[in-house]
């Protein structure tokens, strides 16, 4: 398993509003980090299943955020693996060392 890059699916408006704070604190669709204690993430090969399962039917612009695991850890944010699925243990710093790529997801 390549554990150097993980992904988070973000509602574009949530991601953009977080820029002013310098960090992103949304755990998943409609849920804040404070409620779960971690930000949901996935591996690149599981993006489609997350989109179908969590975001299916949602008609809002989405972003695929590719994140550096070493970058997160370097910023003091732990990444835990639970049953092969990554969990980000704090807010995502919106820095170039952490955020590798932001890609708009086209609804299908």
């Amino acid at each position: 398993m390549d554990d150097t890059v993980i992904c988070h699916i973000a509602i574009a408006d949530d991601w953009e509003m977080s820029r002013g704070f310098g960090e992103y604190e949304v755990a998943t669709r409609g849920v804040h980090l404070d409620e779960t204690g971690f930000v949901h993430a996935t591996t690149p090969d599981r993006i489609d299943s997350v989109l179908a399962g969590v975001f299916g039917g949602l008609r809002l612009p989405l972003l695929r955020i590719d994140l550096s695991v070493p970058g997160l850890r370097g910023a003091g944010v732990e990444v835990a693996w639970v049953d092969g699925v990554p969990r980000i243990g704090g807010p995502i710093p919106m820095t170039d060392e952490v955020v590798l790529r932001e890609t708009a997801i086209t609804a299908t």
Side-chain angles (χ1 to χ4, degrees):
M1 169 188 346
D2 176 13
D3 62 357
T4 60
V5 176
I6 58 175
C7 304
H8 175 76
I9 304 300
I11 295 172
D13 285 349
D14 290 344
W15 185 257
E16 292 303 323
M17 286 191 308
S18 296
R19 284 190 195 282
F21 301 106
E23 59 186 22
Y24 175 82
E25 297 183 343
V26 178
T28 190
R29 177 182 175 180
V31 180
H32 193 272
L33 170 65
D34 291 342
E35 295 176 55
T36 61
F38 64 93
V39 175
H40 290 256
T42 192
T43 54
D45 62 318
R46 294 182 179 166
I47 289 288
D48 289 340
S49 64
V50 171
L51 286 170
V54 179
F55 295 94
L58 185 66
R59 299 292 176 231
L60 293 172
L62 300 174
L63 296 171
R64 171 184 165 160
I65 311 298
D66 289 2
L67 303 165
S68 165
V69 172
L72 283 161
R73 290 183 173 146
V77 180
E78 277 306 309
V79 176
W81 292 82
V82 178
D83 298 325
V85 178
R87 292 182 175 182
I88 302 167
I92 297 172
M94 298 177 94
T95 65
D96 291 341
E97 294 77 25
V98 173
V99 180
L100 302 175
R101 185 176 309 118
E102 302 171 21
T103 307
I105 297 172
T106 306
T108 56

